[in-house]
Every structure is written in structure tokens, then in C-alpha cells.
Amino acid sequence: MIRYLRLLGVQLRASALLGMQYRIDFALDGLIEVFWAITSIIPLFVVYSARATVAGWSFGESLLVVGWFTLLAAVLEGAISPSLTNVVEHIRKGTLDFVLIKPADAQFLVCTARIQPWRAINVVTAVIIFGYAFRLLGHSPTFGGIAMSLALLWASTAVLFSLGILTVSAAFYVVRIDNLMHLFIAIFDAARWPSAVFRGVIRFIFTFVIPLALMTTYPAQALLGTLPVSTFVLSLLGACVFVGLSRLVWLRALGKYTSAS
Amino acid sequence: MSVRSTVLALPTLLRIGFADAVAYRAEMIVWTLSATMPLIMLALWLAVASEAPMGRLGQPELIAYFLATFVVRQLTASWVCWKINTEVRDGTLAMRLLRPVHPLVAYGAENLAAIPLRGILSLPAAIVALALVGTTPLPRDPVLWILWAFSMVGAWLITLLANFAIGCLALFLESSIKLMDVWFTLFLVFSGYLIPVELFPPLVRTIGDWLPFRYQLGLPVEIMTSAHDRASALTLVGQQWAIVVLHLGFTAFVWRRGLGRFAAYGG
């Protein structure tokens, strides 16, 4: 365990150095992140200028969802998506060999290989959004609420990683897959809104197949103190199932890997 | 690089482009699916409008609007900026320069040739729209349909030229993908892709009228869903084509200046 934590530190440092190699890009990327976070709230303002509540969510409450979305987007686009694009590249070129011969778990290595440090700025943006939302709501979250939402943050990060691993596992079978990641990021965008907005089939998909509700709506509800305990427990269990499933699929897919030759 | 050689080369260019689109059809389907944002926004706006309509827009109007957005976006898409960036980096732009056809024409033909396939892929959205709301939102006036056709060509040209111009900036900056990201972000907000332009507060609307983004997408969608009468549609299409001309001038300028700096790595 300690060894893996130290390994994570090494991988992070290497990624940071790589990221800062191109300084203008680095600064520009940070700026674009902030700009994107601000513009992505505009639809929210337009919607709420005409209505006090949408599907039972007030402006302040919806902002909490946006805050969680911003936080998870930082994880998704800063750590998961670049690392996994990297694996796909490895698989296509056959250089995954170099990862496999290292004396550490290959899944751990590929998941932490490319981390884009400027995305961390989104964490700051998210905290600002949380602060503003709670000022509008006029109360602060309870300690229990914060603990619950942090547990859900772990769960949603785990689910995101698992979905990424499942996507990559497909790359062992069909090689051209990089745009599947784009598709996933496009779908993830729906997590910006409280899941109560969606009805019917879409709602079912966003709750069980690609659990977007777990990622942003439930943590926001936890902070508000309105999340049922049963939903909380089921979410954690669901996340564990996702992790186990993706591990199983990854190991099976790895068996399909035919190396460079 | 005469007009004659360009016209002669055009059918071949279109054929190559079409073959390219068909060869990577799985990829094309994924790209089509990843432009589902209008459908997500539709779900959202329907929830918003379930109590009372937003201005002129009730639920049927919103369904028509966002499905039309999906279709128009598919038909006017361009990915030239990414292509130029790759070709500047790996030096294959040099190959294009040897050919007796202007690269802009070649890239344009490539995008144009993909339209039939993209049209087929977006057909389901059109059928669903017709099944759900019928033909009521469509304009009855043939003059409006002629203006719509012009607005579609204009929208496509603005997207292509902007892509080309920003792509050419790669000749100065090594990579201009980041700039394209900024452009795309502004496009998402101001084009009517996420929010129908008429729902914006007046100040933002006025700013949007002077920016190119609405003319890339919102205008054809608005004409298609009967948001304008003849006079206002004509004015807006006029403004759109003025923007096309401006883009053309700027693109030509950037291209000529940038080409002088082109040095293929290892080429």
C-alpha cells in the first residue's frame, strides 16, 4: 500500500514536469479551464431567470450539482481521460509491453500515467461555486452531510475510473477507440443538471447504466441533507460492483493483448 | 491553381472525401452520437417548460428547435482545424501545397463529401421530430425555404472558414487547438446550441448579434422553426453573408502570411 502511494507520488511528479514543459500551453490551459467553467453556468442563469425552481430544484441547490460536476470534470479530464488515451496508444503501438513488465499492477500504472496538473484549478472553481451556493441557500452543510458527500466523491471517482477501464478494455478487441472517450465525455455533460430533470428511459440510463445521478445529484443531496440513507448505501455498493466488474473485464481483456508483433 | 483545374479536380475530391467518410463509418457514428448535447438540453428545457412556456417556446416548439439544432449541426460541421494542425506538425501539408488545387478547396470538398452520410445519420432525429410535433413548426412560405437554403450554405462557410483560419494560426503558434477550444466554447454559448438565442437577456442578445456564432447554427434553425418573417429573415441572412465575406478576407490574409512561415519538420 505504502509502495503504491509512493509510486503515485512519482507518477504525479513526472506528469507535472511534463505538463510544465510547455509553459504557455500550461498557462493557457488553466485560463481556458476557468473560462469554460464560467460559461458553462450561463444556461443555469438563463433557466433560473425565468423560473424559481426547475423539477423541484432551486437555483442554489442546482449550483451545488454544478459544483460537483466541476469537481468531477477535473478528475475525468485531468486524470482519467488522458491516462486512458495513453493506454489506447500503447495498445495500438504494442508498447504496452513496457508497462506490463514493470513490477507493479498494470491497471494502477496505466490509470496514473498521465495527469494534467492545470485541471486542479477546477477544484478551486468548484469550492468557490460551493461557497456561493451555500451563501444563497443561507445555511451551511452539516458535518454528516459533508462526510456522506465525500464518501460519494470516492464512489463516483471509482465509477468514473471503472467506466474508463471498461472503455479501454474494448480497445484490446477493436483498436480504434479514442473517440469513444469523447462520446463518454459528451454524455457526462448531462451530469451538470439534477437528475430529477430527466424522465423515462434517459433517467433509467443515467441512474443505472451510466450512473450520472450518483456522481453529482446524490452528493449535492447529501450536502443538503435530503439524501435517503438507503440510496447512499446502495450507491456505495453499486460503486463496488462497478469496480469489481471493470477489474474482471480488464484482466480478461489483458489476456487478449497480442503485443507488438 | 487556375479556376479550370479546380473545377476539374472537384468531382475527384468529392469522391475521395465520400470514400473516406464511408471507410470510417463506425467512427462517424460515434462522432454523431457525441453531438447529443441538443438532446440533453431538450430534456432539460422540456422540464423547464412543463409548467409554462418560455416566451414563445412551449414544449412542441422546443422539441422542434432542438431536433433541428441537432440536424443543422450535423450538416454544417467542419473539422479542418484539427486536420491542419496535424498536417502542419507532421509536414504532410507540403504534399497539399504541391497539388494544383487550393488547400481550402480540398478541405472544403472533404467536409462537403461527408454530408450525405451525416444526413443519413441525422435522419432519425428529423423523423422523431416530425412524429412528435408534425409539420406545424415548419414555415409555409417558399421564400423562407430559399432563405433557409442560403443560411445553411452561409453557416457551413463560416464554420469552414473559421476552422481554416484558426488552423492556419498553427503556422505561427505550433498548435492552435487551444484557440479552437476557445472558439468552440463561445460557439456553444452564443450559437443557440444550448439555449435558444431568443431566451437570452437583451444585452447578451445584442452582443450575440455582432458575433459570428449565431450565424453558424442558430439562424438556419430559427428560420426552419418559423421564428422569422420574410423581412427579418432576409436581414439576418444578409448579415450572415457579410460575415462570410469578412471571414473570407481574414482567412486569405492569415493563409498568405502563414504560408511564408511553413517549414515542415524533417521535410
Side-chain angles (χ1 to χ4, degrees):
Chain A
M1 189 67 192
I2 304 257
R3 185 163 149 262
Y4 276 93
L5 277 180
R6 204 177 300 149
L7 203 53
L8 182 64
V10 173
Q11 300 262 54
L12 275 176
R13 205 163 58 235
S15 294
L17 286 176
L18 208 65
M20 282 189 280
Q21 210 174 358
Y22 304 98
R23 274 177 215 99
I24 295 180
D25 263 22
F26 188 76
L28 210 61
D29 273 323
L31 274 178
I32 289 173
E33 282 309 304
V34 175
F35 177 68
W36 177 226
I38 294 169
T39 45
S40 64
I41 303 183
I42 291 178
L44 204 69
F45 278 108
V46 175
V47 169
Y48 280 100
S49 65
R51 297 276 183 284
T53 59
V54 174
W57 287 70
S58 72
F59 181 59
E61 290 164 349
S62 287
L63 265 184
L64 285 180
V65 177
V66 174
W68 283 104
F69 175 80
T70 312
L71 205 58
L72 282 174
V75 177
L76 178 65
E77 286 172 32
I80 300 175
S81 155
S83 298
L84 299 182
T85 313
N86 197 29
V87 194
V88 174
E89 195 73 356
H90 272 316
I91 295 171
R92 193 165 54 202
K93 288 196 205 145
T95 46
L96 192 68
D97 299 21
F98 299 124
V99 180
L100 294 176
I101 55 170
K102 282 179 187 160
D105 183 57
Q107 190 181 350
F108 173 83
L109 285 176
V110 297
C111 283
T112 54
R114 283 268 182 288
I115 288 162
Q116 303 191 333
W118 60 84
R119 301 281 180 182
I121 202 159
N122 266 342
V123 178
V124 180
T125 318
V127 171
I128 293 171
I129 294 174
F130 283 137
Y132 181 59
F134 274 109
R135 244 195 65 193
L136 284 180
L137 290 171
H139 64 86
S140 41
T142 60
F143 181 74
I146 295 177
M148 260 170 121
S149 62
L150 285 178
L152 286 173
L153 176 62
W154 169 82
S156 40
T157 310
V159 170
L160 277 178
F161 263 109
S162 306
L163 285 172
I165 286 291
L166 287 174
T167 312
V168 165
S169 300
F172 286 102
Y173 300 90
V174 275
V175 178
R176 268 205 87 101
I177 202 119
D178 25 351
N179 50 20
L180 270 186
M181 212 60 219
H182 279 278
L183 177 60
F184 179 60
I185 290 175
I187 293 172
F188 178 66
D189 223 78
R192 195 190 293 281
W193 304 93
S195 59
V197 161
F198 302 106
R199 303 274 147 90
V201 189
I202 302 186
R203 184 172 203 166
F204 178 80
I205 293 174
F206 287 172
T207 313
F208 297 108
V209 185
I210 305 168
L212 297 181
L214 183 156
M215 296 177 194
T216 56
T217 308
Y218 295 167
Q221 281 182 314
L223 282 180
L224 290 166
T226 56
L227 183 71
V229 178
S230 57
T231 313
F232 174 71
V233 175
L234 282 178
S235 299
L236 293 186
L237 284 178
C240 292
V241 171
F242 254 99
V243 171
L245 184 74
S246 69
R247 178 73 186 169
L248 217 68
V249 172
W250 163 259
L251 289 177
R252 294 217 41 190
L254 212 53
K256 281 271 169 205
Y257 176 60
T258 46
S259 179
S261 44
Chain B
M1 217 179 282
S2 68
V3 177
R4 192 168 165 272
S5 64
T6 304
V7 171
L8 283 176
L10 215 49
T12 313
L13 286 174
L14 288 174
R15 214 161 41 234
I16 295 171
F18 184 72
D20 203 49
V22 179
Y24 297 104
R25 52 199 177 274
E27 195 176 6
M28 191 77 92
I29 291 172
V30 174
W31 280 124
T32 310
L33 286 176
S34 62
T36 45
M37 213 162 357
L39 308 182
I40 291 169
M41 293 314 287
L42 173 61
L44 170 79
W45 286 106
L46 284 181
V48 176
S50 63
E51 296 149 31
M54 297 284 289
R56 183 181 70 86
L57 303 170
Q59 289 195 335
E61 286 83 7
L62 285 165
I63 293 175
Y65 181 91
F66 280 105
L67 291 177
T69 306
F70 180 77
V71 174
V72 171
R73 170 111 173 86
Q74 287 301 324
L75 298 184
T76 56
S78 178
W79 48 95
V80 170
C81 177
W82 286 269
K83 200 127 195 199
I84 299 185
N85 267 282
T86 317
E87 296 192 355
V88 167
R89 205 176 42 232
D90 65 16
T92 37
L93 186 65
M95 306 282 272
R96 271 188 203 273
L97 295 176
L98 288 173
R99 294 179 193 151
V101 176
H102 195 287
L104 179 58
V105 177
Y107 287 125
E110 218 168 89
N111 281 185
L112 211 54
I115 286 181
L117 193 62
R118 284 176 165 256
I120 292 170
L121 289 177
S122 53
L123 212 55
I127 292 170
V128 169
L130 286 177
L132 285 177
V133 288
T135 53
T136 2
L138 298 173
R140 299 272 173 272
D141 184 356
V143 176
L144 278 176
W145 281 107
I146 295 168
L147 286 170
W148 175 79
F150 272 100
S151 74
M152 282 297 278
V153 178
W156 180 70
L157 278 175
I158 294 176
T159 312
L160 177 74
L161 290 168
N163 257 275
F164 190 72
I166 296 176
C168 287
L169 291 177
L171 293 162
F172 301 89
L173 301 169
E174 285 168 34
S175 165
S176 60
I177 299 280
K178 298 277 149 58
L179 277 175
M180 198 61 213
D181 284 347
V182 175
W183 174 279
F184 190 65
T185 307
L186 289 170
F187 167 81
L188 287 182
V189 175
F190 286 106
S191 66
Y193 192 57
L194 305 177
I195 313 163
V197 176
E198 56 189 282
L199 297 180
F200 274 128
L203 177 68
V204 184
R205 267 193 83 163
T206 317
I207 298 173
D209 279 346
W210 288 92
L211 297 173
F213 309 106
R214 180 190 180 192
Y215 306 98
Q216 279 184 276
L217 182 86
L219 180 59
V221 173
E222 289 160 25
I223 296 180
M224 222 172 143
T225 52
S226 307
H228 300 294
D229 55 18
R230 275 187 195 185
S232 77
L234 186 65
T235 321
L236 284 164
V237 173
Q239 287 172 8
Q240 183 193 39
W241 279 83
I243 288 177
V244 171
V245 172
L246 275 178
H247 270 67
L248 196 61
F250 179 71
T251 306
F253 174 75
V254 177
W255 171 248
R256 207 161 317 134
R257 292 292 300 270
L259 207 55
R261 299 176 54 100
F262 178 58
Y265 302 91

